[in-house]
Amino acid sequence: MHVLIAGAGLGGLTLAQNLRKRGISYEIFERDEHKDARFQGWAIALHTITDELVASMPSDMPDLRQATDHMSPLKIPTQICLYPAESIVRVGWEDCPETPFIRAERYRLRNHLATNIPIQWGKRVQRIEHDDQGVAVYFEDGTTAKGDILVGADGVKSVVRQELLQKSHDEVLKIIPLAAIVGELKLSGEAFKRQLQLSHGSYSLIDSEKGYLTFCSLHDVTPDGKSARYYWIMSRSDPTIVDPDHWLHKATQQEKLEHAREVMSNREPKFREIFDLTPVEGIKKETHIWRDLELSSLPAGRVVLMGDAAHVMTPFRGE
Ligand SMILES: Cc1cc2nc3c(=O)[nH]c(=O)nc-3n(C[C@H](O)[C@H](O)[C@H](O)COP(=O)(O)OP(=O)(O)OC[C@H]3O[C@@H](n4cnc5c(N)ncnc54)[C@H](O)[C@@H]3O)c2cc1C
């Protein structure tokens, strides 16, 4: 049995580790030229699956928490909190022995999952062929790989899915009616400490009257523990986001930042601070349109899909 994996993201690499542990022959192909070719995102919460994930990995893996925890080198328990506008209490979760959870910095997590995995870089899947005898994958660089099973772990815009279903992305991907503004910033000293007082990690500001949910989170901490990168995503339900004339598609970074500050203007200063300290250049220029996908079934055969290729996990669903 020889398994071909298309895509060395979180899903493909997790599968590769599982196959490595079981001594099953595999190859894994990634379109990017190297591991630093693309921004890997901010942080991802690992909670109920953590024990199973670790148990499914080979024994030579470094410790998952030590390798990926976005709070490192600070030794404080990670928290996820909610601050509803109409309430003075905060609710949430804290990492503890009874309910352990890790917020993993995504770049570190991908590197961790790549431990002892011989990723074949610069291999963009272009086309596949499959029949009773086996499966062949054709890459953009003109090379081919052959195997018994192909796993499409090539993300939301999966070429493997497109080839398998013979359907375009637009035919299967649904638009999530969400308008979002994204900001990034670096915080040091007292401002960083004040964010940690709001939450050791991440918190959501909910304003049901204005219809906004804003997720603010630590990305990672500098090695000296004195500064940190943060990001926030301010979103509201808005089916008109697909309209190319939607104001967010045309807004400048300054206009988006001013809008975010205006939305937060009725909140206490401690909640406004992260927006006040965000520099204009920290606002994402492009307005992302989130996509969703749920396939009810796949054709039986030698090609399967996993991860976002099969069922997109939006950040909000993930948390
Ligand atoms: C901002 C953000 C925050 C998130 N937070 C969370 C969270 O907290 N919790 C959670 O559960 N989920 C979260 N998610 C969702 C989670 O990140 C995804 O579900 C997960 O990354 C999917 O893994 P994957 O391996 O299927 O796809 P990906 O991670 O997208 O990996 C796909 C890989 O395939 C490669 N590839 C693509 N096309 C080809 C091709 N043609 N040939 C070869 N290789 C190819 C890509 O370069 C990539 O390396 C978040 C997503 C985002 C965007």
Side-chain angles (χ1 to χ4, degrees):
M1 161 85 78
H2 185 60
V3 181
L4 306 177
I5 306 171
L10 303 184
L13 288 169
T14 303
L15 172 63
Q17 291 293 358
N18 277 255
L19 296 175
R20 185 165 78 89
K21 177 165 179 160
R22 286 158 185 77
I24 297 171
S25 167
Y26 70 90
E27 285 176 280
I28 180 164
F29 307 96
E30 168 58 44
R31 68 177 166 184
D32 286 341
E33 292 294 331
H34 52 83
K35 69 183 174 71
D36 297 323
R38 191 183 301 267
F39 175 60
Q40 292 297 316
W42 302 294
I44 186 168
L46 305 173
H47 32 83
T48 49
I49 55 125
T50 310
D51 289 345
E52 282 171 69
L53 181 69
V54 171
S56 73
M57 301 275 164
S59 55
D60 61 357
M61 299 285 289
D63 181 79
L64 175 68
R65 182 183 288 272
Q66 276 181 17
T68 67
D69 187 358
H70 78 156
M71 196 61 80
S72 174
L74 300 183
K75 303 270 181 252
I76 49 176
T78 297
Q79 299 169 331
I80 294 185
C81 304
L82 295 177
Y83 287 99
E86 56 280 359
S87 162
I88 52 159
V89 297
R90 76 168 179 173
V91 290
W93 303 265
E94 181 173 287
D95 176 34
C96 61
E98 293 74 37
T99 53
F101 82 88
I102 305 167
R103 264 183 68 79
E105 200 279 323
R106 288 177 60 109
Y107 176 78
R108 289 183 210 158
L109 178 60
R110 193 199 197 201
N111 286 346
H112 174 75
L113 293 172
T115 304
N116 294 329
I117 299 291
I119 300 170
Q120 298 188 38
W121 298 98
K123 295 284 180 190
R124 181 186 286 270
V125 177
Q126 210 168 35
R127 190 169 69 78
I128 65 171
E129 282 175 6
H130 52 109
D131 58 23
D132 292 348
Q133 306 305 309
V135 55
V137 180
Y138 298 87
F139 300 100
E140 200 177 56
D141 65 2
T143 58
T144 309
K146 293 195 171 168
D148 299 301
I149 291 177
L150 168 64
V151 181
D154 49 344
V156 60
K157 293 197 175 158
S158 167
V159 173
V160 175
R161 183 186 66 230
Q162 208 173 14
E163 289 279 290
L164 178 65
L165 303 180
Q166 290 295 303
K167 284 187 178 166
S168 69
H169 299 320
D170 284 345
E171 282 175 278
V172 293
L173 292 174
K174 285 180 261 165
I175 285 165
I176 300 179
L178 209 59
I181 300 174
V182 178
E184 291 175 309
L185 67 160
K186 192 170 177 182
L187 293 175
S188 305
E190 293 305 311
F192 177 30
K193 284 185 193 158
R194 283 193 291 275
Q195 284 300 313
L196 289 177
Q197 279 164 12
L198 290 178
S199 172
H200 301 167
S202 56
Y203 56 93
S204 291
L205 301 169
I206 303 170
D207 190 332
S208 47
E209 209 164 283
K210 287 189 175 178
Y212 279 92
L213 187 149
T214 305
F215 179 70
C216 305
S217 178
L218 181 103
H219 175 176
D220 59 4
V221 183
T222 52
D224 64 7
K226 291 182 179 160
S227 310
R229 290 190 290 175
Y230 273 82
Y231 64 97
W232 50 264
I233 306 172
M234 174 179 281
S235 53
R236 66 175 303 184
S237 173
D238 185 349
T240 67
I241 192 64
V242 284
D243 183 349
D245 289 329
H246 191 286
W247 77 271
L248 268 181
H249 297 304
K250 295 177 175 170
T252 62
Q253 290 163 288
Q254 179 73 43
E255 286 166 339
K256 289 182 185 181
L257 182 56
E258 280 168 12
H259 179 80
R261 287 176 180 163
E262 202 283 316
V263 168
M264 284 296 145
S265 58
N266 63 336
R267 303 296 301 244
E268 291 170 61
K270 64 181 179 183
F271 295 128
R272 296 204 304 265
E273 186 174 22
I274 194 166
F275 306 95
D276 291 341
L277 294 178
T278 301
V280 174
E281 62 276 13
I283 300 293
K284 287 272 181 214
K285 282 186 186 159
E286 72 286 359
T287 295
H288 189 73
I289 297 181
W290 306 99
R291 303 285 179 146
D292 200 3
L293 163 81
E294 280 182 31
L295 300 170
S296 51
S297 64
L298 285 177
R302 292 176 177 273
V303 183
V304 291
L305 303 174
M306 70 174 292
D308 277 8
H311 44 79
V312 178
M313 181 68 91
T314 63
F316 311 97
R317 207 186 262 174
E319 293 290 350

